[in-house]
Amino acid sequence: MFQFEPGKAPVTLTDAAAARVRTLIEKSENEKVLGLRVGVKSRGCSGMSYFVEYATDQKKFEDKVEEKGVTLFIDPTAVMFILGSEMDYQEDRMFSGFVFNNPNETGRCGCGESFSVA
């Protein structure tokens, strides 16, 4: 497992993100949902894209982040790409969704759906 600074989570949440995670878990039809899983997949014009999905268990080697009353599970293959990121939730007339403020990003596609790291 990747080693972090003691007491520092690989990902932090804004109040808006924590509120949205809480709402999603409460509205889930699956009673076994423990939190949300965060990771990255290879896709998009810049190479990688974030994914967020329901988590009903903690997979082997996943980091567990408990913050502001919610739980995130961090996919171990994503840690090196998202370490130090802040997860936010934004909503306006044209968009609603989780947004990652990631200090590791070296580029982002024009539509904002994918990112790259050096």
Side-chain angles (χ1 to χ4, degrees):
M1 190 178 318
F2 197 88
Q3 297 297 311
F4 308 103
E5 291 181 39
K8 187 171 182 177
V11 174
T12 59
L13 291 99
T14 64
D15 291 340
R20 184 61 180 164
V21 170
R22 198 172 301 109
T23 299
L24 289 171
I25 292 169
E26 289 170 359
K27 289 184 176 185
S28 171
E29 294 179 11
N30 186 340
E31 296 175 6
K32 296 180 181 180
V33 171
L34 301 174
L36 296 183
R37 178 168 291 111
V38 176
V40 296
K41 292 182 179 183
S42 295
R43 69 175 188 204
C45 49
S46 288
M48 288 185 275
S49 181
Y50 299 102
F51 75 84
V52 179
E53 63 188 17
Y54 287 112
T56 57
D57 62 352
Q58 183 173 1
K59 294 181 179 179
K60 190 173 184 177
F61 302 118
E62 277 188 326
D63 286 286
K64 183 177 181 180
V65 175
E66 293 178 309
E67 184 180 341
K68 300 181 182 183
V70 298
T71 303
L72 295 180
F73 297 95
I74 311 301
D75 185 325
T77 62
V79 172
M80 67 180 155
F81 301 114
I82 64 174
L83 184 62
S85 295
E86 177 187 64
M87 184 174 162
D88 191 13
Y89 180 77
Q90 296 178 358
E91 188 171 339
D92 62 29
R93 292 167 48 160
M94 301 297 286
F95 170 83
S96 66
F98 291 108
V99 176
F100 291 84
N101 300 311
N102 185 342
N104 305 302
E105 285 185 17
T106 57
R108 189 175 275 256
C109 71
C111 66
E113 291 294 317
S114 62
F115 69 99
S116 59
V117 294

